[in-house]
Amino acid sequence: MLKVRATAHDHACEHGHPPADALAFAETRCAERRLKLTPIRREVLEHLAASSAPVGAYDLIERMHGASGRRPAPITVYRALDFLLEAGLAHRIESRNAFIACAHRHDRSDLVVFMICDACGCVSEAPAASVQRDLDKIAQGAGFRPASQVVEMFGRCAHCG
């Protein structure tokens, strides 16, 4: 398993919004969809929202241990992550085997392009409806039914040049 660490840098990444904003949105979305935001799910989301780079599950466990003194079981953290992904409150960065809080208020099925900075490790996300339409056309023309679509681009963010 690839272990991802947050890289220190002197600029705010786009997805690094205040945990309170992420929690407020999560509470609203969960209430609308009649989902339960348990304390552990809330804590995992808080740590994701506070991070400027994607966080792996085992790094989350260490952060949670450092913050509260208790070490949750890996299965507990993975279940919380599964819930957050399913609810559209977090994203999995496939190439990093790590997670970020969702920076945009879009539907879970919407295609998002992740721009990953090779220098500082931060991830920005952008909705990509036109890319999704193009990919859907390509798949349809080939008789292919995609189970998921992930677009990750690597390079340098505006701050790292």
Side-chain angles (χ1 to χ4, degrees), residues 1-2 48 54-57 78 81-82 84-86 89-102 112 114 116 123 125 148-152:
M1 176 182 277
L2 178 65
L48 290 178
V55 183
Y78 277 111
L81 288 166
D82 286 343
L84 296 173
L85 292 170
E86 192 64 33
L89 301 171
H91 295 292
R92 183 171 189 266
I93 304 301
E94 299 287 335
S95 62
R96 302 286 193 253
N97 194 24
F99 305 86
I100 60 169
C102 181
V112 177
F114 298 105
I116 304 164
V123 176
E125 67 177 85
S148 67
Q149 297 174 341
V150 177
V151 179
E152 296 180 5

Side-chain angles (χ1 to χ4, degrees), residues 3-55:
K3 189 169 183 172
V4 177
R5 63 178 173 78
T7 305
H9 53 281
D10 61 359
H11 63 273
C13 289
E14 178 185 323
H15 88 276
H17 43 77
D21 291 352
L23 290 174
F25 175 70
E27 288 169 357
T28 301
R29 178 163 278 182
C30 288
E32 290 171 354
R33 297 180 179 179
R34 295 187 175 108
L35 301 171
K36 187 169 182 178
L37 188 62
T38 63
I40 190 75
R41 292 169 178 171
R42 176 185 302 275
E43 186 179 2
V44 168
L45 181 59
E46 240 174 359
H47 283 282
L48 290 178
S51 179
S52 61
V55 183

Side-chain angles (χ1 to χ4, degrees), residues 119-133:
C120 70
C122 78
V123 176
S124 296
E125 67 177 85
S130 62
V131 175
Q132 186 168 19
R133 284 190 295 275

Side-chain angles (χ1 to χ4, degrees), residues 131-151:
V131 175
Q132 186 168 19
R133 284 190 295 275
D134 289 344
L135 290 173
D136 288 344
K137 250 193 258 183
I138 291 167
Q140 188 177 35
F144 184 78
R145 291 188 325 183
S148 67
Q149 297 174 341
V150 177
V151 179

